[in-house]
Amino acid sequence: MKSATGGALRHVLTHLLTPLLMCVGMGLAYLGAFADPSPHDLPVAVVGSGPSAQALARTLADKAGDDLSVRTVADRARAEDQLRHQDVFGAYVPDERTPELLVATAGSDTTAAVVQKVFTPVAARQGTPLKVTDIAPPAKDDPTGQGIFFLLVAVSIGSYASVAVIGGAGAVLPMRIRALLAVATSAVVSVIGALLAGPVFHLVDHGLGGLWGLAWLYSAGVLLIGTGLHTFLKRWTTLGMMVLFVMLNFTSSGGVFRPEMQNGFFASLHGFWNGAAFVEGARGLAYFDGFGLGRHAWTLALWLVAGLAVTALAWVTESRRRTRAVAAASADAEEEMEEAVGV
């Protein structure tokens, strides 16, 4: 009785290790990424080409240190163009009566708020209120512009949760069938995502087909990577998927804070991680006339290729395991036959 109880207890404790590791990982990832946001070389501009604009830019740069990367642009039109290309995240237009700050909150509401805090005291020093002009506001049903990030969360959960079903309940199926199930499931998940973004919550009012394409590329990559990894990780697959597509993914996506507001680790992940590619691609499609869409789509396509490669490796590995198992069973059968004949 005691032996059975001890064995059951060890079994439970072993399985408790996974959620405890998730707790540690989520805490490290989310608090490491979001707990202390501060600008790091955040690009901003002063509009103007004269001596006064140059002097103001130098003063801001000297006071801000490494927090800001300050430049000057010749005129308002060029400043707006750089905002739409996200080369800068705020452009200050000096004026004795009505100084103006140009921002694009659809790119990041939190970054726009930081930029506003930087330039409000500049206008206050000359005793005038600061006019803030948003040249790329988010959809009216998504005032913070973070709806695309929460869409990423929904599509991610639908994708990596399906991996557990395909890898667990479908473990007896051949890998080719599991891979086809992964691709089919990604199509369903991406359609759900497009419906949520469009007719249900009105996060976007155009380019819904393009958004569906991004969601499918993203979901298919996650599902194929997870389906392939299950062959190697078994019951640790869930933890592995959480690390890849929650802990490192949501935190580096730019959905809450852009990389310019994060430390170097998460900022560097933003450049090539699939969640960041989905969020930035969707933003570009919805708010910035498709700017950067091709680059982000290619990033998602590369993750899909990685998923195909992992799945193919798992397919080969399983085939070899079956061959070895058949050979071992055949050897055992021959040995039993020889023993029977000998008897």
Side-chain angles (χ1 to χ4, degrees):
M1 184 68 178
K2 289 183 179 180
S3 177
T5 302
L9 182 60
R10 284 192 297 273
H11 180 75
V12 172
L13 291 175
T14 300
H15 281 76
L16 275 175
L17 185 60
T18 297
L20 292 175
L21 288 174
M22 287 181 181
C23 178
V24 173
M26 293 287 281
L28 290 174
Y30 274 74
L31 293 175
F34 299 147
D36 184 26
S38 58
H40 303 282
D41 291 320
L42 179 65
V44 297
V46 175
V47 179
S49 55
S52 60
Q54 297 284 349
L56 177 58
R58 283 195 300 271
T59 300
L60 283 172
D62 291 341
K63 289 185 176 181
D66 294 334
D67 292 348
L68 300 178
S69 175
V70 187
R71 67 185 73 175
T72 58
V73 294
D75 52 47
R76 182 192 178 99
R78 293 185 186 181
E80 290 187 7
D81 184 65
Q82 291 196 14
L83 280 166
R84 289 193 175 92
H85 289 177
Q86 297 187 312
D87 293 327
V88 299
F89 294 93
Y92 182 74
V93 186
D95 186 272
E96 292 183 359
R97 295 184 177 180
T98 311
E100 184 179 14
L101 176 64
L102 308 177
V103 295
T105 55
S108 173
D109 180 70
T110 52
T111 303
V114 169
V115 171
Q116 189 170 341
K117 288 182 180 180
V118 170
F119 285 101
T120 296
V122 177
R125 280 196 289 271
Q126 66 184 56
T128 53
L130 179 65
K131 176 185 176 182
V132 179
T133 300
D134 191 352
I135 68 159
K140 64 182 181 67
D141 292 319
D142 182 25
T144 66
Q146 294 185 6
I148 289 174
F149 169 71
F150 293 111
L151 177 64
L152 168 70
V153 174
V155 173
S156 298
I157 291 174
S159 300
Y160 71 70
S162 297
V163 167
V165 176
I166 295 172
V172 296
L173 297 172
M175 176 55 75
R176 65 179 183 278
I177 295 180
R178 277 179 279 156
L180 288 173
L181 281 172
V183 174
T185 303
S186 69
V188 176
V189 169
S190 60
V191 168
I192 293 172
L195 290 174
L196 291 174
V200 178
F201 290 107
H202 309 288
L203 303 179
V204 298
D205 56 10
H206 65 279
L208 200 57
L211 182 67
W212 169 81
L214 291 173
W216 178 79
L217 282 171
Y218 174 81
S219 179
V222 172
L223 270 154
L224 286 171
I225 288 173
T227 300
L229 285 178
H230 191 272
T231 298
F232 307 101
L233 299 182
K234 301 300 182 184
R235 70 182 184 88
W236 299 104
T237 303
T238 299
L239 178 60
M241 296 295 286
M242 290 284 286
V243 171
L244 289 173
F245 302 117
V246 177
M247 298 176 193
L248 299 179
N249 193 28
F250 296 166
T251 51
S252 64
S253 67
V256 178
F257 296 111
R258 284 194 54 82
E260 294 83 6
M261 297 293 296
Q262 295 184 296
N263 61 48
F265 175 72
F266 292 101
S268 64
L269 291 182
H270 184 84
F272 63 92
W273 218 255
N274 58 346
F278 176 78
V279 168
E280 298 297 354
R283 280 174 174 167
L285 184 66
Y287 302 121
F288 298 104
D289 300 322
F291 177 75
L293 177 60
R295 176 167 60 87
H296 300 307
W298 273 111
T299 299
L300 292 174
L302 289 174
W303 277 82
L304 176 56
V305 170
L308 290 170
V310 174
T311 303
L313 181 60
W315 191 342
V316 171
T317 300
E318 290 185 5
S319 296
R320 290 177 176 174
R321 288 175 181 172
R322 284 194 300 271
T323 301
R324 288 196 295 267
V326 169
S330 177
D332 290 342
E334 289 179 3
E335 184 177 350
E336 290 177 2
M337 181 66 72
E338 290 174 356
E339 291 177 356
V341 171
V343 171

